[in-house]
Amino acid sequence: MKTKTCLVLSLALGIQMGFSQQNDIKTVTSKSGTVLKYHKDSGVKIIKDGKESFKDLNKNGKLDTYEDWRLPVEERAKDLASKMSVEQIAGLMLYSQHQSIPSGEVGFGAGTYNGKPFSESGAEASAISDQQKQFLKDDNLRHVLLTAVKSPEVAAKWNNNVQAYVEGLGLGIPANNSSDPRNTAEVTSEFNAGAGGTISLWPDGLAMGATFDPQLVKQFGEMASKEYRALGITTALSPQVDLGTEPRWYRIAYVFSESPELVKAMGKAYIEGFQTSDKDSEINSGWGYQSVNAMVKHWPGGGPEEGGRDAHWAMGKFAVYPGDNFSDHLKPFTEGAFKLDGGTEKAAAVMPYYTISFDRDDVYNENVGNGFSKYMITELLRDQYGYDGVVCTDWLITSDEGATPATFAGKPWGTEELSIAERHYKVLKAGVDQFGGNNEKGPVLEAYQMGVEEFGEDYMRKRFERSAVRLLKNIFRTGLFENPYVNVAETKAIVGNAEFMQAGYEAQVKSVVMLKNKAQVLPIKEKKTVYIPKIYTPVATDWWGNPTPAKLDYPVDIELIEKYYKVTDNPKEADFAMVFVKNPQTKEAGYSEVDRKEGGNGYVPISLQYETYTATTAREHSIAAGDPVIDPEIKDRSYKGKTSTSSNIMDLRTIEDTKMLMGDKPVIVSVTANKPMIFSEFESQVEGIVLNFGISTQAVLDIVSGKSEPSGLLPVQMPANMETVEAQKEDVPFDMIPYQDSEGNTYDFGYGLDWNGVISDKRTAKYKN
């Protein structure tokens, strides 16, 4: 008989070769119907208790409490936590850095297979990389964040390989795989680097918010959760329920709205849809084999970033509250995510944001990032609001920051002068359970020893077990201990199936907002001739600073346009023109290395207009400032009097040039926006404006052509000018002067047109301020 060590080694070799196919996974159905699945070479055996069957995950030949699926999740989790070593719990507290399947060969998240890049290794795309095997086996990590996958089939096989691998290790704890939002229509969601593979495509963030329809969001959650589970994903790092009260914030694109009531309703529906299993797959209290844990973010609300700068960088580390409106930002959590109508009761996990919620800690008087703040996590989240689920830091808060305030690196805001291990200890003392973006158990174990020295072994052991129980409950109640495997054929049938695709597309159409329709120029139903100008796109950089080259090209697929209209490159032959543009994009997201080198403080305005903007009415002095490591001499982040110009100013010039070329013939502008913008620069010159927040061109064309009627509403205000942007308070919704167009319509929250004029319906009655 093989020893346990030999079993693990032989399994590791087999997984490396990619042998884990469906016939290697054994299935046993217990008398009462519970389905158990395990890999034939993992060392797991089936044991009996009466007529019921159970998996002997720790291979000790007896039924342990945590292996007994008849028992309550809490009891099982406590039993398993008590059996885990400190090293195993430290690994459970890790949440991996971003993993693509297969691993990339260079840059962020690169990996190897038997020491070789994937293209040279001969490995299957679904194989486990060297780095993944290391953090799964040596660091005991069980929470893996997935980004791009080659295909649904590859994702399913990779999941099965990983689950078989970890099933053969130690206590047999399954992997809890997760994802940032994958179902976005542009397939480029946040850090996801393109979700990859066929999956249903839906509106996200502001686009979903523009539907004003929580039931639609719940439908999305119900469908997307089935796709997630088919891919082997059991935790969603979503929804983002921050309030979009600061219009210049980079991540406002991913929020539902600036309205506390709308965000509360949408976030609640999202979580209900993801976490609640159908009755035929339910285990208990709504949880089951179709459930996906929702990690709601970002506590206590990441929206009120000073000046719109984002906390992924040191330049944006401060959230400020000039309107003393901290309470509104809590509502989507305390009145939504933590008060579900269904059996799952509350979001399974919470992620604090990177930001320092400036001067909001009136107990310990600390200005530290929310993940380090005992006030924010223990005093407020846990004690005052009674949340006892998992709290996971945002990614890389314990790592060192970059060389400049605009360098993408670690985000240890407020703890810059501590060591990495000391930051881990501070996170633990704050009441957090898990470290996002950390693949290594070493610093967690160092933090544990610091706690032993301060409080004693018994205290720290109990502290670790408390977090372990929370983390394990999210694995138990999704059924992973009984069946962590997916059926590859079912994955191919479920992910991106026609029904889900159609529902996602219909939701995209519902998110389009028609802002202007002079003389009812829209819809243009007949197959008329359209002129579409090319757009100059300047050099741009992604999250990590990687540049993409400039280009002059059509901004849309011309073959798609030809399904609706005849296309000409001669404006004189055209019946109308459509100009496809993006909202103004500020080259520097609030910080300029050039300004710093020239003797300034480095801080510059984030503009929402195309033309050059000078911040003459900005704050004389910033509310918050300071960086003890990289910029200790900067005590004021004011950018008053400084100038910025949109990097895509040619979008505006193209609109103006097109109108000149078309003369009296209609010009329709289709704007794809990721935040509010100033419409006064071109609105009066054009006949029609349709706005979308990152969906497919086809959905826009269905509106323009009259195939569908517009129903989207503005989820955020569109400001009249930059002066009202500077005057608004970062933490207060609805406090800008909205733009009034040449037709007399005001681009306020809840505004939108249909074919009959300004929309007034149940949605506007319920949510419009």
Side-chain angles (χ1 to χ4, degrees):
M1 181 177 178
K2 292 182 179 179
T3 66
K4 188 180 295 186
T5 301
C6 290
L7 277 170
V8 169
L9 289 174
S10 104
L11 178 60
L13 178 62
I15 296 300
Q16 176 182 307
M17 297 171 62
F19 74 64
S20 180
Q21 304 300 322
Q22 213 65 42
N23 58 359
D24 293 322
I25 299 168
K26 301 302 179 183
T27 302
V28 173
T29 302
S30 193
K31 183 177 184 296
S32 56
T34 296
V35 176
L36 310 175
K37 291 192 177 184
Y38 63 99
H39 194 278
K40 68 181 183 67
D41 294 321
S42 69
V44 168
K45 304 295 183 184
I46 296 297
I47 54 180
K48 295 280 189 177
D49 183 51
K51 295 183 178 180
E52 300 290 6
S53 300
F54 305 87
K55 290 165 68 174
D56 184 12
L57 289 164
N58 61 1
K59 300 96 178 168
N60 67 354
K62 66 177 185 178
L63 178 62
D64 291 284
T65 297
Y66 85 92
E67 296 166 337
D68 190 341
W69 45 260
R70 298 169 299 189
L71 298 175
V73 162
E74 182 90 16
E75 186 176 344
R76 297 179 72 187
K78 286 181 177 178
D79 177 66
L80 180 51
S82 71
K83 289 176 166 60
M84 297 175 72
S85 67
V86 169
E87 289 77 11
Q88 288 171 324
I89 296 176
L92 194 66
M93 288 178 162
L94 304 177
Y95 222 125
S96 84
Q97 295 174 9
H98 301 70
Q99 305 293 311
S100 60
I101 311 299
S103 294
E105 300 191 358
V106 294
F108 184 81
T112 56
Y113 298 80
N114 288 328
K116 298 180 180 180
F118 175 72
S119 62
E120 300 173 13
S121 67
E124 297 287 336
S126 57
I128 309 173
S129 73
D130 299 334
Q131 293 72 22
Q132 290 162 0
K133 284 186 284 186
Q134 178 175 330
F135 64 58
L136 290 168
K137 183 175 184 292
D138 297 339
D139 292 287
N140 302 310
L141 185 149
R142 290 297 180 271
H143 293 79
V144 184
L145 174 56
L146 299 182
T147 58
V149 297
K150 185 176 181 180
S151 69
E153 181 179 5
V154 166
K157 289 181 177 179
W158 179 87
N159 170 77
N160 290 350
N161 286 337
V162 166
Q163 299 295 6
Y165 184 69
V166 298
E167 193 173 70
L169 301 174
L171 295 162
I173 300 172
N176 181 358
N177 302 321
S178 69
S179 176
D180 280 310
R182 307 186 74 79
N183 296 74
T184 60
E186 293 186 322
V187 202
T188 52
S189 188
E190 199 170 348
F191 292 107
N192 235 16
T198 304
I199 197 166
S200 63
L201 305 178
W202 295 72
D204 183 46
L206 288 177
M208 189 66 90
T211 69
F212 276 56
D213 188 351
Q215 281 303 118
L216 179 62
V217 180
K218 187 175 182 181
Q219 179 193 29
F220 158 68
E222 291 167 347
M223 291 182 172
S225 62
K226 291 180 175 64
E227 293 181 305
Y228 274 38
R229 289 305 299 257
L231 292 166
I233 295 169
T234 43
T235 292
L237 302 188
S238 54
Q240 185 175 333
V241 298
D242 307 299
L243 298 186
T245 51
E246 168 46 62
R248 296 162 292 188
W249 184 33
Y250 186 92
R251 297 189 76 183
I252 197 173
Y254 308 115
V255 311
F256 292 116
S257 173
E258 65 185 296
S259 163
E261 291 304 312
L262 181 58
V263 173
K264 182 173 71 176
M266 300 293 253
K268 186 175 182 178
Y270 189 111
I271 298 165
E272 295 270 23
F274 266 91
Q275 291 190 169
T276 307
S277 285
D278 294 341
K279 287 298 179 184
D280 58 356
S281 63
E282 183 180 16
I283 298 171
N284 191 33
S285 300
W287 292 104
Y289 296 103
Q290 289 178 348
S291 296
V292 173
N293 298 296
M295 184 180 290
V296 64
K297 56 190 186 185
H298 303 90
W299 178 264
E305 296 265 22
E306 184 164 22
R309 299 180 295 269
D310 183 67
H312 278 87
W313 298 269
M315 65 182 177
K317 65 171 68 174
F318 295 106
V320 295
Y321 301 87
D324 196 25
N325 191 36
F326 185 74
S327 59
D328 264 0
H329 294 266
L330 300 181
K331 287 179 180 178
F333 299 91
T334 60
E335 298 177 16
F338 303 162
K339 290 186 177 180
L340 305 182
D341 297 325
T344 65
E345 295 185 347
K346 63 186 70 175
V350 171
M351 182 189 295
Y353 203 36
Y354 297 121
T355 44
I356 296 169
S357 296
F358 190 68
D359 281 354
R360 303 310 299 188
D361 175 358
D362 55 9
V363 175
Y364 305 101
N365 297 311
E366 281 191 309
N367 275 315
V368 293
N370 292 306
F372 297 105
S373 173
K374 187 174 182 179
Y375 173 75
M376 292 297 171
I377 306 304
T378 295
E379 306 288 340
L380 200 62
L381 178 61
R382 296 234 189 261
D383 293 347
Q384 185 171 334
Y385 291 107
Y387 184 77
D388 194 40
V390 168
V391 177
C392 177
T393 74
D394 212 331
W395 264 231
L396 299 176
I397 75 165
T398 55
S399 298
D400 291 333
E401 65 184 311
T404 75
T407 301
F408 190 92
K411 303 103 175 54
W413 313 145
T415 68
E416 293 89 346
E417 294 175 304
L418 298 181
S419 70
I420 288 175
E422 287 170 338
R423 292 173 194 151
H424 280 75
Y425 185 40
K426 190 166 182 62
V427 168
L428 290 175
K429 290 175 76 173
V432 174
D433 304 298
Q434 198 165 30
F435 301 90
N438 184 354
N439 294 1
E440 299 174 356
K441 68 183 179 185
V444 186
L445 294 174
E446 287 186 67
Y448 180 86
Q449 288 305 318
M450 291 176 188
V452 170
E453 291 174 12
E454 183 174 359
F455 297 108
E457 183 81 41
D458 183 62
Y459 174 91
M460 283 306 292
R461 175 70 203 191
K462 289 177 180 176
R463 169 66 186 85
F464 259 42
E465 284 194 30
R466 189 159 61 247
S467 284
V469 169
R470 292 178 184 134
L471 291 160
L472 290 168
K473 284 166 66 175
N474 287 353
I475 306 177
F476 275 113
R477 57 193 177 194
T478 50
L480 291 176
F481 278 87
E482 281 61 63
N483 177 19
Y485 299 98
V486 294
N487 184 300
V488 177
E490 290 179 3
T491 296
K492 293 168 71 174
I494 291 170
V495 180
N497 71 74
E499 179 190 355
F500 292 0
M501 282 289 196
Q502 182 62 32
Y505 181 74
E506 290 173 359
Q508 289 184 52
V509 174
K510 291 177 180 177
S511 75
V512 178
V513 184
M514 185 166 69
L515 295 176
K516 184 175 183 180
N517 191 17
K518 185 177 182 179
Q520 283 69 54
V521 64
L522 296 173
I524 301 174
K525 294 183 177 180
E526 300 85 359
K527 196 163 187 177
K528 292 187 175 182
T529 302
V530 63
Y531 167 65
I532 297 177
K534 293 181 178 179
I535 292 285
Y536 172 75
T537 304
V539 174
T541 55
D542 63 15
W543 282 91
W544 302 282
N546 301 312
T548 54
K551 63 179 180 178
L552 177 65
D553 202 354
Y554 290 111
V556 291
D557 181 354
I558 293 299
E559 290 185 3
L560 175 62
I561 304 294
E562 288 174 339
K563 293 179 180 179
Y564 292 81
Y565 303 108
K566 297 174 184 177
V567 179
T568 180
D569 59 4
N570 183 353
K572 293 181 180 179
E573 296 176 355
D575 297 308
F576 73 106
M578 280 196 74
V579 188
F580 291 86
V581 300
K582 292 183 179 179
N583 64 295
Q585 306 290 310
T586 303
K587 186 175 182 181
E588 299 98 357
Y591 188 87
S592 167
E593 298 290 357
V594 173
D595 179 82
R596 187 72 183 95
K597 289 175 182 177
E598 291 178 350
N601 64 1
Y603 293 89
V604 294
I606 297 173
S607 177
L608 302 183
Q609 66 183 42
Y610 290 111
E611 295 282 10
T612 297
Y613 166 65
T614 301
T616 57
T617 62
R619 283 191 186 110
E620 192 73 37
H621 300 286
S622 65
I623 293 173
D627 193 302
V629 177
I630 57 177
D631 232 353
E633 70 273 26
I634 301 301
K635 307 299 183 184
D636 193 334
R637 294 182 167 194
S638 175
Y639 50 82
K640 186 173 183 178
K642 295 183 182 179
T643 296
S644 68
T645 302
S646 166
S647 61
N648 61 329
I649 190 173
M650 289 306 297
D651 285 18
L652 175 61
R653 299 288 178 258
T654 303
I655 294 171
E656 295 169 338
D657 291 346
T658 301
K659 185 57 186 173
M660 179 183 68
L661 291 169
M662 292 298 292
D664 294 334
K665 291 184 285 188
V667 174
I668 311 301
V669 177
S670 172
V671 181
T672 298
N674 61 7
K675 62 176 67 172
M677 62 181 286
I678 310 296
F679 280 93
S680 61
E681 295 176 295
F682 67 86
E683 174 274 318
S684 64
Q685 303 175 57
V686 302
E687 283 68 37
I689 302 173
V690 288
L691 173 68
N692 78 86
F693 295 101
I695 58 165
S696 65
T697 303
Q698 185 176 346
V700 174
L701 290 171
D702 275 358
I703 296 294
V704 172
S705 67
K707 184 176 180 181
S708 299
E709 183 168 13
S711 62
L713 303 168
L714 286 178
V716 287
Q717 292 181 311
M718 294 295 156
N721 47 50
M722 282 303 298
E723 287 69 34
T724 192
V725 173
E726 297 289 2
Q728 60 89 35
K729 296 178 174 65
E730 285 91 338
D731 58 325
V732 178
F734 316 127
D735 64 339
M736 292 190 294
I737 300 170
Y739 177 67
Q740 186 174 75
D741 72 9
S742 56
E743 302 297 294
N745 292 318
T746 301
Y747 295 1
D748 204 350
F749 169 77
Y751 164 74
L753 297 172
D754 59 19
W755 302 139
N756 296 314
V758 177
I759 297 172
S760 179
D761 58 17
K762 291 181 180 178
R763 299 172 301 160
T764 57
K766 184 170 184 178
Y767 295 111
K768 193 168 182 181
N769 186 39

